[in-house]
Amino acid sequence: MRVVLAEDNALLRDGLTRILLAHDFTILHSVDNAPDLAVALADPDAEAAVLDVRLPPTLTDEGLRAAIACRSARPGFPVVVLSQWVEHLYARELLADGGGGIGYLLKDRVGDIREFVDAVRRVAGGGTVLDAEVVSAIMARPRARAVDRLSEREREVLGLMAEGRSNAAIAAQLFITPKAVDKHANSIFTKLDLPVAPDDNRRVLAVLAWLEV
Amino acid sequence: MAQRPSPLRLTGYALAQVALAVPTMLAATLVAAGGATALLVVGIPILLLGLPLLRWIADRHRAMAAEILAHPVPADRLPDDDLPLLRRLGTWGRDPMTWRELAWAFLSASVGLAVALVVVALMVCVVTLVLWWFATPQLMRLRAVVDARLLSRGSHELLEERVQVLTETRAETVEDSAAELRRIERDLHDGAQARLVALQMNLGLARDLMDTDPVAARDLLAEASTTTGAALGDIRDVVRGIHPPVLADRGLVGAVQALALDLAVPVTVTGDLSDRPSAPVETAAYFAVLECLANVTKHADAEHAWVELARRDDLLVVVVGDDGRGGADPAGGTGLRGVARRLAALDGSVRVSSPTGGPTLVTLEVPCESSSPRTTPSSGTG
């Protein structure tokens, strides 16, 4: 998989490069500023991108804007956005096109290498991965609190689904069987009156749409 | 500079001044008589008649002087809105402007009247028309300067007041920022720093155990990873408390939108500040809105809240409203007082309107050019 990597901190860029190379990714372009990033993202050979939100020249939210601009030119182009902090507002902007293939994660998560690589792979496959911190902010809102129809366990499953985790990952996290997760998921979809989604990716998008992220 | 009024228009003013001379004398006499007998109660109704009349007449002369001098002639009275009638009377009595107006009234009805009469006379006696044409602007300007000087505070007084305000707010600002630094120091010490110490111990232990007990070493490394995450979380919280990154990215409107998204009460954010205020103004306004919205979620019991942001000339105006139960007391909570203090350092202000039953409206106003001192321009040539 050929990825574009944008990170202005040399230490972090090296670390990310090493992690990605060790997991069968190819670094097509490695850039440290927004203008170079725009050029790199225009490369038709790129298959996915891993971007830092804050990049020179203005060190604000160039990475985020580049991701949104890139996806309006190439709908569904998989982008993983990394940041030192996460904003619900930015998650909403990234997800606004409803196309999937979006990852929005704290840089801390890179520390758990297996989890991080797995997230990049899922995003590259059209999945959606949101940081647990964003999801907990979303779950604290009235819309999510209104789901008193759901059991405590179901709310946990809903939160993990919103993070974009697969059934197997949810099962492992909650120490229950994948079958039990499936049962909870079906019950959630019935109670929230959501159409049954054909695959994992659609399911995440449906949940996020319902939560009004 | 605005166009000066024509001699004809000035003569109109002079006529008005002549016409107001008798009412001026009447009002001044009423005020003097009422004031002298106020303790015998009988003076109070006289004052209630005389003072508003005097104030009204003085205001008319202020407007004329402002027009002639082409700069504002503010009354700068003590605020008396929403006060019961008798308390209002007390405020008027304490207001130095009332005394100035009284003194002005006597001068206006004597020397001032003479000047105005000369202007009118010069026009009426047709032979002096040329003189009228050239002398009127000078005479009326002279009168306007005297009126403005008496009816508005001079630059010296304004500066004294300004120094007073600056001394107070500077002391508060220094105190606040010292407290803020202590808080940040404590947060770092108890949070990130403590966790990094724990992290270092874990890593040291793990290194020692690597050969003898690899399983325990692995557990320690896992724990170290968790501790690192927590330390990063602490640092993020500290950073948000100093200057939220989203504020730097998106400016005030975007940052308030981001803030509103995560609240338990639905908040509508409207406004457009395409011309961004300076960073200190943005930061102060952001934390003020944060405090107001925190109050809404904590106390107001509201279904819905809204934030309107606008720039009116050189003033940033932010209104935070909610449809809750009202009855918020601006003096009661430490939160709003803190907001008022922080804004005062930027010459900003906070107004709260919160009748029982709601809605509550908190209006924040901050001058945008906070680096330049805000003194009313002193009377130019006077």
Side-chain angles (χ1 to χ4, degrees), chain A residues 1 3 20 23 25 47-50 71 76-80 99-105 109 112-132 135 159-170 173 199-205 208:
Chain A
M1 165 108 24
V3 298
L20 291 171
H23 291 84
F25 290 93
E47 290 173 296
V50 178
R71 282 168 59 88
F77 180 75
V79 179
V80 176
I102 283 289
Y104 183 42
L105 293 173
R109 311 298 177 207
D112 190 336
I113 293 167
R114 211 173 314 158
E115 186 104 344
F116 170 66
V117 170
D118 182 48
V120 178
R121 288 219 175 92
R122 268 185 290 147
V123 171
T128 302
V129 181
L130 282 192
D131 197 89
V135 172
L160 290 168
M161 286 200 310
E163 283 177 36
R165 288 172 191 263
S166 65
N167 273 7
I170 296 174
Q173 174 107 11
D199 61 75
D200 277 2
N201 292 347
R202 301 256 143 248
R203 187 180 77 174
V204 175
L205 291 177
L208 291 174

Coordinates of all heavy atoms in Angstrom, one line a residue, chain A residues 1 3 20 23 25 47-50 71 76-80 99-105 109 112-132 135 159-170 173 199-205 208:
Chain A
M1 N 0.9 -1.2 0.0 CA 0.0 0.0 0.0 C 0.9 1.2 0.0 O 1.7 1.4 0.8 CB -0.9 -0.1 1.3 CG -1.5 1.3 1.6 SD -3.3 1.4 1.3 CE -3.9 -0.3 1.4
V3 N 1.5 5.0 0.6 CA 0.9 6.1 1.4 C 1.7 7.4 1.3 O 2.9 7.4 1.1 CB 0.7 5.7 2.9 CG1 -0.2 4.6 3.1 CG2 2.0 5.5 3.6
L20 N 5.3 2.3 9.6 CA 4.6 1.9 8.4 C 5.4 1.0 7.5 O 4.9 0.0 7.0 CB 4.2 3.2 7.6 CG 3.2 4.1 8.3 CD1 3.0 5.4 7.6 CD2 1.8 3.3 8.4
H23 N 5.4 -2.6 8.5 CA 4.1 -3.3 8.3 C 3.7 -3.3 6.8 O 2.5 -3.1 6.6 CB 3.0 -2.7 9.2 CG 3.3 -3.0 10.7 ND1 4.2 -2.2 11.4 CD2 2.9 -4.0 11.5 CE1 4.2 -2.7 12.6 NE2 3.5 -3.8 12.7
F25 N 3.8 -1.2 4.4 CA 3.4 0.0 3.7 C 4.6 0.6 2.9 O 5.7 0.4 3.3 CB 2.9 1.1 4.6 CG 1.6 0.7 5.3 CD1 1.6 0.1 6.5 CD2 0.3 1.0 4.7 CE1 0.4 -0.3 7.2 CE2 -0.9 0.6 5.3 CZ -0.8 0.0 6.6
E47 N -2.4 5.8 -2.5 CA -3.6 5.0 -2.1 C -4.2 5.4 -0.8 O -5.3 5.0 -0.5 CB -3.2 3.5 -2.1 CG -2.8 3.0 -3.5 CD -2.3 1.6 -3.4 OE1 -1.2 1.4 -2.8 OE2 -3.0 0.7 -3.9
A48 N -3.4 6.1 0.0 CA -3.9 6.5 1.3 C -3.0 7.6 1.9 O -1.9 7.8 1.3 CB -4.0 5.4 2.3
A49 N -3.4 8.3 2.9 CA -2.5 9.4 3.5 C -2.6 9.3 5.0 O -3.7 9.0 5.6 CB -3.0 10.7 3.0
V50 N -1.5 9.6 5.6 CA -1.4 9.7 7.1 C -0.9 11.2 7.3 O 0.2 11.5 7.0 CB -0.5 8.7 7.7 CG1 -0.4 8.9 9.2 CG2 -1.0 7.3 7.4
R71 N -10.3 15.0 -0.5 CA -11.4 14.1 -0.6 C -12.5 14.7 -1.5 O -13.4 13.9 -2.0 CB -12.0 13.7 0.8 CG -11.1 12.6 1.4 CD -11.4 12.4 2.8 NE -12.8 12.0 3.0 CZ -13.2 10.7 3.0 NH1 -12.4 9.8 2.8 NH2 -14.5 10.5 3.2
G76 N -13.8 9.6 -1.1 CA -13.5 8.3 -0.5 C -12.0 8.0 -0.3 O -11.6 6.9 0.2
F77 N -11.1 8.9 -0.8 CA -9.7 8.7 -0.6 C -9.3 8.5 0.9 O -9.7 9.4 1.7 CB -8.9 9.9 -1.2 CG -7.4 9.7 -1.1 CD1 -6.7 8.9 -2.0 CD2 -6.7 10.4 -0.2 CE1 -5.4 8.7 -1.9 CE2 -5.3 10.3 -0.1 CZ -4.6 9.4 -0.9
P78 N -8.7 7.4 1.2 CA -8.6 7.1 2.7 C -7.5 8.0 3.3 O -6.4 8.2 2.8 CB -8.0 5.7 2.7 CG -8.3 5.1 1.3 CD -8.2 6.3 0.4
V79 N -7.9 8.7 4.4 CA -7.0 9.6 5.1 C -7.1 9.3 6.6 O -8.2 9.2 7.2 CB -7.5 11.1 4.9 CG1 -6.6 12.0 5.6 CG2 -7.5 11.4 3.4
V80 N -5.9 9.2 7.2 CA -5.8 9.1 8.7 C -5.2 10.4 9.1 O -4.2 10.8 8.7 CB -4.9 7.9 9.1 CG1 -4.8 7.9 10.6 CG2 -5.5 6.6 8.6
G99 N -18.5 9.6 3.2 CA -17.9 8.6 2.3 C -17.2 7.5 3.0 O -16.8 6.5 2.4
G100 N -16.9 7.6 4.3 CA -16.1 6.6 5.0 C -14.6 6.8 4.6 O -14.2 7.7 3.8
G101 N -13.8 5.8 5.0 CA -12.3 5.9 4.7 C -11.7 7.1 5.5 O -10.8 7.7 5.0
I102 N -12.1 7.3 6.7 CA -11.6 8.4 7.5 C -11.1 7.9 8.9 O -11.8 7.1 9.5 CB -12.7 9.5 7.8 CG1 -13.0 10.3 6.6 CG2 -12.3 10.4 9.0 CD1 -11.9 11.3 6.3
G103 N -9.9 8.3 9.2 CA -9.4 8.0 10.6 C -9.1 9.3 11.2 O -8.5 10.2 10.6
Y104 N -9.5 9.5 12.5 CA -9.1 10.7 13.2 C -8.7 10.3 14.6 O -9.5 9.9 15.4 CB -10.3 11.6 13.3 CG -10.1 13.0 13.9 CD1 -8.9 13.7 13.7 CD2 -11.0 13.5 14.8 CE1 -8.7 14.9 14.3 CE2 -10.8 14.7 15.4 CZ -9.6 15.4 15.2 OH -9.4 16.6 15.8
L105 N -7.4 10.4 14.8 CA -6.8 9.8 16.1 C -5.8 10.7 16.8 O -5.2 11.5 16.1 CB -6.0 8.5 15.7 CG -6.8 7.3 15.2 CD1 -5.9 6.2 14.7 CD2 -7.7 6.8 16.3
R109 N -2.1 7.4 20.2 CA -2.5 6.1 19.8 C -1.5 5.4 19.0 O -1.5 4.1 18.9 CB -3.8 6.1 19.0 CG -4.9 6.9 19.6 CD -5.4 6.4 20.9 NE -6.4 7.3 21.5 CZ -6.6 7.5 22.8 NH1 -5.9 6.8 23.7 NH2 -7.6 8.3 23.2
D112 N 0.5 2.5 20.6 CA 0.0 1.1 20.5 C 0.1 0.7 19.0 O -0.8 0.9 18.3 CB -1.4 0.9 21.0 CG -1.8 -0.5 21.1 OD1 -1.2 -1.4 20.4 OD2 -2.7 -0.8 21.9
I113 N 1.3 0.2 18.6 CA 1.6 0.0 17.2 C 0.6 -0.9 16.5 O 0.1 -0.6 15.4 CB 3.1 -0.5 17.0 CG1 4.0 0.7 17.5 CG2 3.3 -0.8 15.6 CD1 5.4 0.3 17.7
R114 N 0.3 -2.0 17.1 CA -0.6 -3.0 16.4 C -2.0 -2.3 16.2 O -2.5 -2.4 15.1 CB -0.8 -4.2 17.3 CG -1.0 -5.5 16.4 CD -1.0 -6.7 17.3 NE 0.1 -6.7 18.3 CZ 0.1 -7.5 19.4 NH1 -1.0 -8.2 19.7 NH2 1.1 -7.4 20.2
E115 N -2.5 -1.6 17.2 CA -3.8 -1.0 17.1 C -3.7 0.1 16.0 O -4.6 0.3 15.2 CB -4.1 -0.3 18.4 CG -5.4 0.3 18.5 CD -6.4 -0.6 19.3 OE1 -6.1 -1.8 19.5 OE2 -7.4 -0.1 19.6
F116 N -2.6 0.9 16.0 CA -2.5 2.0 15.0 C -2.4 1.4 13.6 O -3.2 1.9 12.7 CB -1.2 2.8 15.3 CG -0.9 3.8 14.2 CD1 -1.7 4.9 14.0 CD2 0.3 3.6 13.5 CE1 -1.4 5.8 13.0 CE2 0.6 4.6 12.5 CZ -0.3 5.6 12.2
V117 N -1.6 0.4 13.4 CA -1.5 -0.1 12.0 C -2.8 -0.7 11.6 O -3.3 -0.6 10.4 CB -0.4 -1.2 12.0 CG1 -0.4 -2.0 10.7 CG2 1.0 -0.6 12.2
D118 N -3.5 -1.4 12.5 CA -4.8 -1.9 12.2 C -5.8 -0.8 11.8 O -6.5 -1.0 10.9 CB -5.3 -2.7 13.5 CG -6.7 -3.3 13.2 OD1 -6.8 -4.0 12.2 OD2 -7.6 -3.1 14.1
A119 N -5.7 0.3 12.5 CA -6.6 1.5 12.2 C -6.3 2.0 10.8 O -7.2 2.2 10.0 CB -6.4 2.6 13.2
V120 N -5.0 2.1 10.4 CA -4.7 2.6 9.1 C -5.2 1.6 8.0 O -5.7 2.0 7.0 CB -3.1 2.7 8.9 CG1 -2.8 3.2 7.5 CG2 -2.6 3.7 9.9
R121 N -5.0 0.3 8.3 CA -5.5 -0.7 7.3 C -7.0 -0.6 7.2 O -7.6 -0.7 6.1 CB -5.2 -2.1 7.8 CG -3.7 -2.4 7.7 CD -3.4 -3.9 7.3 NE -2.0 -4.1 7.1 CZ -1.2 -4.5 8.0 NH1 -1.7 -4.9 9.2 NH2 0.1 -4.6 7.8
R122 N -7.7 -0.5 8.3 CA -9.2 -0.4 8.2 C -9.6 0.8 7.4 O -10.6 0.8 6.6 CB -9.8 -0.4 9.6 CG -10.2 -1.8 10.1 CD -10.9 -1.7 11.4 NE -10.0 -1.3 12.5 CZ -10.3 -0.6 13.5 NH1 -11.6 -0.2 13.6 NH2 -9.5 -0.3 14.4
V123 N -9.0 2.0 7.7 CA -9.3 3.2 6.9 C -9.0 3.0 5.5 O -9.8 3.4 4.6 CB -8.5 4.4 7.5 CG1 -8.7 5.6 6.6 CG2 -9.0 4.7 8.9
A124 N -7.9 2.4 5.2 CA -7.5 2.1 3.8 C -8.6 1.3 3.1 O -8.8 1.4 1.9 CB -6.2 1.5 3.7
G125 N -9.2 0.4 3.9 CA -10.3 -0.5 3.3 C -11.6 0.2 3.3 O -12.7 -0.5 3.2
G126 N -11.7 1.5 3.5 CA -13.0 2.2 3.5 C -13.6 2.4 4.9 O -14.7 2.9 5.0
G127 N -12.9 1.9 5.9 CA -13.5 2.0 7.2 C -13.4 3.4 7.9 O -12.8 4.3 7.3
T128 N -14.1 3.6 9.0 CA -14.1 4.8 9.7 C -13.6 4.5 11.1 O -14.1 3.7 11.8 CB -15.5 5.5 9.8 OG1 -15.9 5.6 8.5 CG2 -15.4 6.8 10.5
V129 N -12.5 5.3 11.6 CA -12.0 5.1 12.9 C -11.9 6.4 13.6 O -11.2 7.3 13.2 CB -10.6 4.5 12.8 CG1 -10.0 4.2 14.2 CG2 -10.6 3.2 12.0
L130 N -12.6 6.5 14.7 CA -12.6 7.7 15.5 C -11.9 7.5 16.8 O -12.0 6.4 17.4 CB -14.0 8.2 15.8 CG -14.7 9.0 14.7 CD1 -16.0 9.6 15.3 CD2 -13.9 10.0 14.0
D131 N -11.2 8.5 17.3 CA -10.5 8.3 18.6 C -11.5 8.2 19.7 O -12.6 8.8 19.7 CB -9.6 9.6 18.9 CG -8.6 9.3 19.9 OD1 -7.5 8.8 19.6 OD2 -8.9 9.5 21.1
A132 N -11.1 7.4 20.7 CA -12.0 7.1 21.8 C -12.4 8.4 22.5 O -13.5 8.6 23.1 CB -11.3 6.2 22.8
V135 N -15.2 10.0 20.7 CA -16.5 9.2 20.9 C -17.0 9.5 22.3 O -18.2 9.6 22.5 CB -16.2 7.7 20.7 CG1 -17.4 6.9 21.1 CG2 -15.9 7.5 19.2
G159 N -20.6 2.7 21.8 CA -19.5 3.6 21.9 C -18.3 3.0 21.1 O -17.7 3.7 20.3
L160 N -18.1 1.7 21.2 CA -17.0 1.1 20.5 C -17.3 1.0 19.0 O -16.4 1.1 18.2 CB -16.7 -0.3 21.1 CG -16.1 -0.3 22.5 CD1 -16.2 -1.7 23.1 CD2 -14.7 0.2 22.4
M161 N -18.5 0.8 18.7 CA -18.9 0.8 17.2 C -18.6 2.2 16.6 O -18.2 2.3 15.5 CB -20.4 0.4 17.1 CG -20.7 -1.0 17.3 SD -22.2 -1.7 16.5 CE -23.4 -0.5 17.1
A162 N -18.9 3.2 17.4 CA -18.7 4.6 16.9 C -17.2 4.8 16.7 O -16.8 5.6 15.8 CB -19.3 5.6 17.9
E163 N -16.4 4.2 17.5 CA -14.9 4.3 17.3 C -14.5 3.6 16.0 O -13.4 3.8 15.6 CB -14.1 3.7 18.5 CG -14.1 4.6 19.7 CD -13.4 3.9 20.9 OE1 -12.4 3.2 20.6 OE2 -13.8 4.1 22.0
G164 N -15.4 2.8 15.5 CA -15.1 2.1 14.2 C -14.5 0.7 14.4 O -13.9 0.2 13.6
R165 N -14.7 0.2 15.6 CA -14.1 -1.2 15.9 C -14.9 -2.3 15.3 O -16.2 -2.2 15.2 CB -14.0 -1.4 17.4 CG -12.9 -0.5 17.9 CD -12.8 -0.6 19.4 NE -12.0 0.5 19.9 CZ -10.7 0.2 20.3 NH1 -10.2 -1.0 20.2 NH2 -10.0 1.2 20.7
S166 N -14.3 -3.4 14.9 CA -14.9 -4.5 14.3 C -15.6 -5.3 15.5 O -15.2 -5.1 16.7 CB -13.9 -5.4 13.6 OG -13.0 -5.9 14.5
N167 N -16.4 -6.2 15.1 CA -17.1 -7.1 16.1 C -16.0 -7.8 17.0 O -16.1 -7.9 18.2 CB -18.0 -8.1 15.5 CG -19.4 -7.5 15.3 OD1 -19.6 -6.4 15.5 ND2 -20.3 -8.4 14.8
A168 N -15.0 -8.3 16.3 CA -14.0 -9.1 17.0 C -13.3 -8.2 18.0 O -13.0 -8.6 19.1 CB -13.0 -9.7 16.0
A169 N -12.9 -7.0 17.6 CA -12.2 -6.1 18.5 C -13.1 -5.7 19.7 O -12.6 -5.6 20.8 CB -11.8 -4.8 17.7
I170 N -14.4 -5.5 19.4 CA -15.3 -5.2 20.5 C -15.4 -6.3 21.5 O -15.3 -6.1 22.7 CB -16.7 -4.8 20.0 CG1 -16.6 -3.5 19.1 CG2 -17.7 -4.6 21.1 CD1 -17.9 -3.2 18.4
Q173 N -12.3 -6.5 23.6 CA -12.3 -5.4 24.6 C -13.2 -5.6 25.8 O -12.9 -5.3 26.9 CB -12.7 -4.1 23.9 CG -12.8 -2.9 24.8 CD -11.6 -1.9 24.6 OE1 -10.9 -2.0 23.6 NE2 -11.5 -1.0 25.5
D199 N -22.6 -4.1 5.8 CA -21.2 -4.5 6.3 C -20.8 -3.6 7.4 O -21.5 -2.6 7.8 CB -20.2 -4.4 5.1 CG -20.2 -2.9 4.5 OD1 -19.6 -2.1 5.2 OD2 -20.8 -2.7 3.5
D200 N -19.6 -3.9 8.0 CA -19.1 -3.1 9.1 C -19.0 -1.6 8.8 O -19.4 -0.8 9.7 CB -17.7 -3.7 9.5 CG -17.8 -4.9 10.3 OD1 -18.9 -5.3 10.6 OD2 -16.7 -5.4 10.7
N201 N -18.4 -1.3 7.7 CA -18.2 0.1 7.4 C -19.5 0.9 7.3 O -19.6 2.0 7.9 CB -17.5 0.3 6.0 CG -16.1 -0.2 6.1 OD1 -15.6 -0.5 7.2 ND2 -15.5 -0.4 4.9
R202 N -20.5 0.4 6.7 CA -21.8 1.0 6.6 C -22.4 1.2 8.0 O -23.0 2.1 8.4 CB -22.8 0.2 5.7 CG -22.4 0.1 4.3 CD -23.1 1.0 3.4 NE -22.2 1.5 2.4 CZ -21.8 2.7 2.3 NH1 -22.2 3.6 3.1 NH2 -20.9 3.0 1.3
R203 N -22.1 0.1 8.8 CA -22.7 0.1 10.2 C -22.1 1.3 11.0 O -22.9 2.0 11.6 CB -22.3 -1.2 10.8 CG -23.0 -1.4 12.2 CD -22.6 -2.7 12.8 NE -21.3 -2.6 13.4 CZ -20.7 -3.6 14.1 NH1 -21.4 -4.7 14.3 NH2 -19.5 -3.5 14.6
V204 N -20.8 1.5 10.9 CA -20.2 2.6 11.6 C -20.8 3.9 11.2 O -21.2 4.8 12.0 CB -18.7 2.6 11.4 CG1 -18.1 3.8 12.1 CG2 -18.1 1.3 11.9
L205 N -20.9 4.1 9.9 CA -21.5 5.4 9.4 C -22.9 5.6 9.8 O -23.3 6.7 10.2 CB -21.4 5.4 7.8 CG -19.9 5.5 7.3 CD1 -19.9 5.5 5.8 CD2 -19.2 6.8 7.8
L208 N -22.7 6.7 13.5 CA -22.3 8.1 13.6 C -23.3 9.0 13.1 O -23.5 10.1 13.8 CB -21.0 8.2 12.8 CG -19.8 7.5 13.4 CD1 -18.6 7.6 12.5 CD2 -19.4 8.0 14.8

